[in-house]
Amino acid sequence: SQQGEEDPQALSIQEGENATMNCSYKTSINNLQWYRQNSGRGLVHLILIRSNEREKHSGRLRVTLDTSKKSSSLLITASRAADTASYFCATGSSYKLIFGSGTRLLVRP
Amino acid sequence: DTAVSQTPKYLVTQMGNDKSIKCEQNLGHDTMYWYKQDSKKFLKIMFSYNNKELIINETVPNRFSPKSPDKAHLNLHINSLELGDSAVYFCASSLGLAEGGEQFFGPGTRLTVL
């Protein structure tokens, strides 16, 4: 079964707006990662946050992690049309990643 | 330069056939993986290999047989293909950290079983 659930399942915003996606997971983790998948492509790693970290930034991305609630959020600021993609959270442990169900983000020009 | 490559990109075949998907990585990573992404975009781990040794087999039917001839290659052979095997299969690699580090994915192989 999937480790995590993401919400929303789909999100449509205007270029320049911020996009927030949430991820919940079930078991203890070593780290939590976010990946992007453009249509018809493989996944690309965006950011990794360790279980002892609470917040991490990378460019226009901001990730938070709340291990007490077993949840994480990904914020994309000042979105661009090129950010249109599916975004997946994944929990990392013992030589595997377990992926969430994904959020489809559409950024309208 | 392609980091993780897979061939073929598309595979269309009849039920009951046997097919193989090849994967190669030029990143010098120790660990390689196979994932299956279904039509609803759920992505699920199938196998993990570390230094050519099988580490994880996530209750995959034994019709699926991965083979790692060396650390840079992990091929997937599927016997007696079934309709439910239709999916996109992704190969990935990582440095092999036990904690589950960043993974690099190939472009995927879209398998359609008719």
Side-chain angles (χ1 to χ4, degrees), chain A residues 31 33 35 37 50 94-96, chain B residues 48 58 96 98-100 103:
Chain A
N31 62 67
Q33 303 175 36
Y35 286 79
Q37 184 179 31
R50 300 190 187 285
S94 301
Y95 292 104
K96 68 181 179 183
Chain B
S48 297
E58 286 285 309
E99 68 179 30
Q103 294 187 13

Side-chain angles (χ1 to χ4, degrees), chain A residues 5-16:
Chain A
E5 296 293 327
E6 293 182 56
D7 80 275
Q9 289 188 336
L11 181 59
S12 179
I13 59 174
Q14 202 72 33
E15 203 165 26

Side-chain angles (χ1 to χ4, degrees), chain A residues 1-2 30-31 33 35 37 40-45 48 50 86 88 92-101, chain B residues 9 31 33 35 37 41-43 45 48 50 55-56 58 90 96-103 105-107:
Chain A
S1 63
Q2 295 298 111
N30 293 320
N31 62 67
Q33 303 175 36
Y35 286 79
Q37 184 179 31
R41 300 286 189 93
L43 281 79
V44 174
H45 181 265
L48 180 153
R50 300 190 187 285
S86 292
F88 294 88
S93 63
S94 301
Y95 292 104
K96 68 181 179 183
L97 292 178
I98 301 178
F99 284 86
S101 49
Chain B
K9 188 167 175 61
T31 306
Y33 312 83
Y35 289 88
Q37 187 173 43
K41 304 295 185 187
F42 288 128
L43 197 69
I45 180 74
S48 297
N50 183 250
I55 302 294
I56 289 172
E58 286 285 309
F90 288 98
L97 299 172
E99 68 179 30
E102 174 186 354
Q103 294 187 13
F105 282 77

Side-chain angles (χ1 to χ4, degrees), chain A residues 16-89:
Chain A
E17 293 179 341
N18 296 342
T20 300
M21 291 159 252
N22 302 297
C23 166
S24 61
Y25 58 92
K26 296 174 184 174
T27 62
S28 61
I29 60 171
N30 293 320
N31 62 67
L32 188 139
Q33 303 175 36
W34 286 88
Y35 286 79
R36 184 187 74 229
Q37 184 179 31
N38 289 88
S39 181
R41 300 286 189 93
L43 281 79
V44 174
H45 181 265
L46 295 176
I47 196 166
L48 180 153
I49 185 165
R50 300 190 187 285
S51 58
N52 61 355
E53 297 177 308
R54 292 296 166 259
E55 187 171 314
K56 201 161 183 181
H57 297 255
S58 177
R60 293 184 296 114
L61 306 180
R62 173 178 168 253
V63 169
T64 62
L65 179 64
D66 187 336
T67 51
S68 66
K69 295 181 180 177
K70 291 188 167 55
S71 67
S72 174
S73 67
L74 171 68
L75 169 67
I76 304 173
T77 60
S79 64
R80 306 166 181 168
D83 294 330
T84 294
S86 292
Y87 291 81
F88 294 88
C89 67

Side-chain angles (χ1 to χ4, degrees), chain B residues 10-24:
Chain B
Y10 299 98
L11 192 49
V12 181
T13 188
Q14 299 286 333
M15 255 188 350
N17 284 350
D18 304 338
K19 290 293 178 185
S20 291
I21 307 171
K22 295 187 176 181
C23 177
E24 177 180 3

